Amino acid sequence: MTLDSAHDAPRPLYLDHGGTTPLDPGVLAGLVERLSWPLGNPNAAHGPGTRARRLLEDARRTLSEHLGGRPEELVFTSGGTESITLAVRGCTAASPGRIALGATEHSSTRTAVESMAEQGWAVDTIPVTATGLITASALADTLRPDTRIVCLMLAQNEIGTITDIAALAPVVRRLAPRSKLVVDAVQAFTKVPFRVSSLGADCVAVTAHKMHGPLGIGALWTRAPLKPLFKGGGQERGQRGGTQPAVLAWAFAEAARAAAADTDACHRMAALRDALVAEVLAVLPDATLTGEPPGPSRLPNNAHLCIPGLPSEPLINALAEVGVCASAGAACSTGKFRVSPTLQALGRRAEEGAFVRLTVGRFTRPDELPEAARRLAACVNALRPAYAGRLTAR
Ligand code: PLP
């Protein structure tokens, strides 16, 4: 399906900042410049090595300031998945115990926990409300005295629900005093204000590519030293082997600095998101917002919509064809449609329709939104007749 003439590819409208974000132009320019610097291995004693070490440690200091921790508590990794896996596997006791896991955790956390289950760990799922919140009582009911790890996310990647970690951490300390609290802040960092030192967590995972920094670098803040996933040459104080990419570390820290300097960014993104939802509801009045209403319990850049009368996958594909970059939390398998584990945890069903996540970023322009809504409505209206009465659950 194309909306424009066959020869004119539609102007791309990038509304998948929850997936990854374009590089901040200032970060890109600085990155390109530094890639041409004669830098050595940051662990070498010679001049180029010393310069790389300085770049790396300056980045560690800057990033720590923005996270609210100390530089010696920060481990550079390849991204959010590695940070979370290091936190879960690296803080474990010698003998298996119980792990409590939020029902809407990202697959990187779920799979890290599943690998622990294969080694004899018992896994307890913490249920969420219909909008994705974890209440103190749901957490309390799940925790056991022998819970050793608790995994919670500060901001949910699909529906954007924000968890009040600082309010839940005391529940963990009271009911499972020997446990480590691992927090996934991958979507939250720079969009939800927090300081690791006052969150009450033991480990906090972040990544650069969700905040207009580069792919390939993340970090883990850790209160206590961790066992490495791979030892390598003992880099990162023995917690993560492998030569550190000093230039990527610089870019990560610079992206955090630029996001913090853009003091109006969260308000702007929330206004853009609200305008986008209004545009969509104007052309698709039966669409509904999934999750928490816009406000303090929802990521400022996230709109997640349920559109009745058609499944998610064909809609996402049709949107891709007309240049709208969006994502869905659902998959089609052998002709039956099913929703993502996150939507299942909320009690949502595939028969309800297409679930579409539209996420804006710091550089999204207001004029892109009416056009995105127009293309979305055209796709929905073109597909609906083909699915009349055909939506079945798996
Ligand atoms: N956690 C959340 C909430 C995410 O959204 C993602 C990425 O989609 C990850 C973890 C994994 O991060 P990365 O892509 O840097 O490995």
Side-chain angles (χ1 to χ4, degrees):
M1 184 195 318
T2 52
L3 296 175
D4 297 272
S5 85
H7 301 294
D8 295 330
R11 174 170 66 116
L13 300 172
Y14 190 78
L15 295 172
D16 193 20
H17 292 79
T20 195
T21 51
L23 272 175
D24 178 310
V27 173
L28 174 61
L31 189 60
V32 170
E33 185 199 331
R34 282 162 182 77
L35 282 171
S36 68
W37 286 3
L39 296 171
N41 185 318
N43 305 291
H46 48 61
T50 310
R51 277 194 291 279
R53 167 62 67 180
R54 202 173 309 129
L55 201 60
L56 180 70
E57 296 312 325
D58 283 351
R60 199 188 307 274
R61 221 171 1 259
T62 303
L63 203 52
S64 300
E65 277 165 21
H66 288 286
L67 282 165
R70 295 201 306 261
E72 61 273 23
E73 296 166 332
L74 204 68
V75 180
F76 281 115
T77 66
S78 63
T81 301
E82 187 190 325
S83 294
I84 291 164
T85 309
L86 174 61
V88 170
R89 298 187 67 88
C91 68
T92 53
S95 57
R98 306 193 78 85
I99 305 182
L101 173 76
T104 61
E105 289 297 309
H106 189 263
S107 57
S108 54
T109 309
R110 275 190 286 116
T111 51
V113 167
E114 276 161 21
S115 73
M116 304 289 284
E118 284 162 15
Q119 292 167 22
W121 285 70
V123 181
D124 302 307
T125 302
I126 312 162
V128 295
T129 66
T131 57
L133 291 170
I134 288 184
T135 62
S137 63
L139 177 63
D141 289 347
T142 310
L143 295 176
R144 312 271 190 86
D146 58 342
T147 303
R148 294 282 176 275
I149 305 174
V150 180
C151 296
L152 297 174
M153 65 201 312
L154 188 42
Q156 214 284 329
N157 47 293
E158 264 175 71
I159 55 172
T161 300
I162 294 170
T163 300
D164 189 349
I165 301 288
L168 295 180
V171 180
V172 175
R173 298 292 167 233
R174 185 161 47 84
L175 297 176
R178 291 173 61 197
S179 68
K180 301 272 186 203
L181 176 54
V182 174
V183 171
D184 173 354
V186 161
Q187 293 283 345
F189 187 32
T190 71
K191 295 187 210 77
V192 179
F194 70 90
R195 314 273 306 157
V196 287
S197 53
S198 51
L199 212 49
D202 294 286
C203 294
V204 178
V206 291
T207 196
H209 75 98
K210 306 284 188 189
M211 37 175 279
H212 301 287
L215 277 155
I217 184 135
L220 182 70
W221 173 83
T222 175
R223 198 178 284 283
L226 297 166
K227 275 191 309 219
L229 293 175
F230 25 89
K231 288 187 179 162
Q235 290 91 345
E236 298 296 283
R237 296 170 187 260
Q239 297 169 98
R240 202 272 187 179
T243 305
Q244 300 96 328
V247 173
L248 288 182
W250 172 85
F252 191 1
E254 178 59 16
R257 194 205 56 74
D262 188 354
T263 50
D264 180 45
C266 288
H267 281 115
R268 227 170 44 238
M269 284 191 282
L272 286 167
R273 184 269 317 276
D274 294 345
L276 176 60
V277 171
E279 293 283 356
V280 171
L281 294 183
V283 287
L284 295 169
D286 55 355
T288 50
L289 197 63
T290 319
E292 281 288 298
S297 294
R298 185 169 193 131
L299 278 177
N301 70 329
N302 172 290
H304 187 279
L305 295 153
C306 177
I307 304 170
L310 74 168
S312 304
E313 205 171 49
L315 178 57
I316 297 299
N317 292 340
L319 285 171
E321 277 185 44
V322 298
V324 178
C325 305
S327 79
C332 174
S333 152
T334 60
K336 302 273 189 187
F337 296 100
R338 61 194 161 85
V339 293
S340 68
T342 293
L343 294 175
Q344 279 177 36
L346 305 186
R348 305 304 296 256
R349 292 167 303 117
E351 301 95 302
E352 292 179 62
F355 289 94
V356 184
R357 181 184 71 177
L358 301 169
T359 39
V360 299
R362 276 175 48 220
F363 304 107
T364 302
R365 292 193 323 271
D367 66 282
E368 296 177 297
L369 308 178
E371 178 60 16
R374 192 182 71 76
R375 292 187 203 176
L376 174 63
C379 292
V380 169
N381 293 332
L383 286 167
R384 264 180 178 159
Y387 290 96
R390 278 187 50 208
L391 278 190
T392 52
R394 190 176 147 83

